[in-house]
Amino acid sequence: MKITYSIIAPIYNEIENLPLLHHRVTEVMESTGKPWELILVDDGSTDGSTEKIRELAAVDKHIRPVIFARNFGHQIAITAGWDFARGDAVVIIDADLQDPPEVILDLAKKWQEGYEVVYAVRAEREGETWFKKFTASMFYRLIYRITDVKIPVDTGDFRLMDRKVVEVLKQMKERHRFPRGMSAWVGFKQIGVEYKRAARHAGVTKYPFKKMLRLALNAITSFSYFPLQVATFFGFLSAGVSILAIPVVAIMRLIGSHFFEGQATTLISVLFLGGVQLISLGILGEYIGRLYDEAKGRPLYIVRDAPKE
Ligand code: UDP
Ligand code: MG
């Protein structure tokens, strides 16, 4: 059967959210009157979500379970969803119901008007700490400034994409991925739709600070050379300062000043330069490590169980 809508939900320990997610998505999608499927990508859950997904799939043919062999991360789970989706329009949605399934109808409306990427913009966020909101807001704005593609601000992965777009994304095999950046990079006709991001229905966030930092690093390194350029900038800056300082120090010595004497000045400049050099090395290392990962060419994910067709 030809599928119109594929809904992809990445699942990592969301057992309490699964029944309501299923219920609300079903209600919304049935109201469209079009054939649809719900792809539940189990990203190595350990709380019984895997069994719950299988149970749901056994009673509802709309559900297509993709079960990973271990936890590969949110971005990779989304990628697997793209690979298995058969619909003309593909929607990514969080499993914790922070992205209300009802908003899919608004996204679908824009798609019917001819837009190929319809992303949902968070006009408001409920039930999140000020720290999360603050860091997220800083992150979106930083990414917007320094990357070469204009990735819309306050926009997560919740979006609808046309089949054409998904086919392009499927060819992008990069390992350290940032799906919302990738879907901005491909072009096509894009538009945002505002929505109110709800609080988590149940459970806790699967994005501790460490994971958010990693995502931010992936976003920056995948879409810009800005950190490398910063290293070059500091190189030129310290070279410039030293060129200016040499004659100044020489002249001051000649006229008998003792201003630049002593170990402290030497120590400070050595430490400063050492710091700049190590940070630059670290930045280089980030890029080289990513190159190495790409060169290995391992599969992006390993599925234990996936739909046959
Ligand atoms: N998720 C996942 N793998 C992970 C972490 C998260 O599949 O390693 C899923 C999670 O189950 C949820 C979505 O990604 O459906 C967003 O995660 P979460 O709600 O924890 O992030 P937050 O909304 O707090 O940023
Ligand atoms: Mg969430």
Side-chain angles (χ1 to χ4, degrees):
M1 184 178 43
K2 196 138 171 42
I3 303 284
T4 307
Y5 296 106
S6 296
I7 318 295
I8 301 170
I11 313 282
Y12 180 51
N13 294 344
E14 305 283 6
I15 189 160
E16 294 153 282
N17 294 320
L18 277 168
L20 189 62
L21 175 76
H22 176 220
H23 175 75
R24 278 176 62 184
V25 167
T26 305
E27 211 145 80
V28 169
M29 296 322 293
E30 285 300 319
S31 77
T32 65
K34 294 278 191 325
W36 60 280
E37 63 183 6
L38 173 60
I39 301 181
L40 297 175
V41 185
D42 174 40
D43 187 13
S45 297
T46 51
D47 69 340
S49 295
T50 318
E51 290 69 32
K52 188 85 210 163
I53 292 172
R54 288 211 170 100
E55 254 171 53
L56 290 173
V59 294
D60 184 353
K61 290 291 157 238
H62 289 107
I63 295 188
R64 297 175 78 216
V66 177
I67 315 283
F68 277 2
R70 64 166 168 85
N71 178 255
F72 281 90
H74 181 196
Q75 282 70 38
I76 302 288
I78 290 175
T79 308
W82 291 343
D83 290 339
F84 286 94
R86 301 172 295 182
D88 299 329
V90 175
V91 179
I92 305 164
I93 193 166
D94 277 3
D96 57 1
L97 295 159
Q98 279 196 285
D99 306 329
E102 295 71 26
V103 176
I104 296 175
L105 298 178
D106 300 334
L107 304 182
K109 210 162 124 223
K110 288 285 170 201
W111 176 59
Q112 278 149 6
E113 285 171 20
Y115 290 96
E116 289 144 324
V117 176
V118 190
Y119 51 85
V121 184
R122 301 163 177 180
E124 261 181 73
R125 304 172 69 127
E126 263 180 6
E128 283 174 307
T129 61
W130 70 266
F131 179 74
K132 174 104 186 184
K133 283 190 218 172
F134 175 72
T135 46
S137 163
M138 293 282 291
F139 167 67
Y140 290 130
R141 274 148 193 89
L142 177 78
I143 299 286
Y144 189 82
R145 284 197 89 104
I146 70 172
T147 55
D148 312 326
V149 269
K150 289 299 159 225
I151 302 172
V153 297
D154 298 326
T155 302
D157 292 311
F158 187 24
R159 61 188 59 223
L160 179 150
M161 293 182 293
D162 188 84
R163 165 74 19 211
K164 287 196 282 288
V165 180
V166 177
E167 287 306 320
V168 177
L169 291 173
K170 276 163 71 176
Q171 289 166 26
M172 294 164 70
K173 290 293 175 201
E174 62 214 64
R175 184 156 311 269
H176 299 279
R177 31 183 63 225
F178 188 54
R180 46 196 107 153
M182 293 164 69
S183 90
W185 182 84
V186 296
F188 290 100
K189 258 179 91 177
Q190 310 219 355
I191 194 168
V193 170
E194 288 201 345
Y195 79 112
K196 195 169 143 200
R197 187 157 159 94
R200 227 175 199 284
H201 168 62
V204 291
T205 173
K206 310 301 179 313
Y207 265 94
F209 186 64
K210 213 174 109 194
K211 266 198 198 167
M212 292 202 306
L213 205 63
R214 201 182 310 150
L215 180 69
L217 270 177
N218 283 347
I220 294 169
T221 52
S222 304
F223 289 96
S224 93
Y225 299 122
F226 180 75
L228 292 171
Q229 288 158 344
V230 170
T232 317
F233 169 78
F234 271 102
F236 275 108
L237 189 73
S238 49
V241 169
S242 68
I243 286 172
L244 289 179
I246 292 166
V248 173
V249 175
I251 292 168
M252 285 176 91
R253 275 294 157 80
L254 286 176
I255 60 173
S257 159
H258 296 285
F259 192 70
F260 279 111
E261 269 177 18
Q263 270 187 3
T265 35
T266 322
L267 201 66
I268 288 170
S269 48
V270 167
L271 281 181
F272 175 77
L273 261 186
V276 169
Q277 283 171 345
L278 285 179
I279 293 169
S280 309
L281 260 182
I283 293 173
L284 259 182
E286 281 293 329
Y287 282 88
I288 294 174
R290 283 172 165 72
L291 258 176
Y292 180 52
D293 281 341
E294 297 295 348
K296 281 189 283 196
R298 290 185 185 160
L300 285 181
Y301 56 85
I302 303 166
V303 287
R304 191 193 302 145
D305 272 323
K308 294 289 170 284
E309 12 98 55

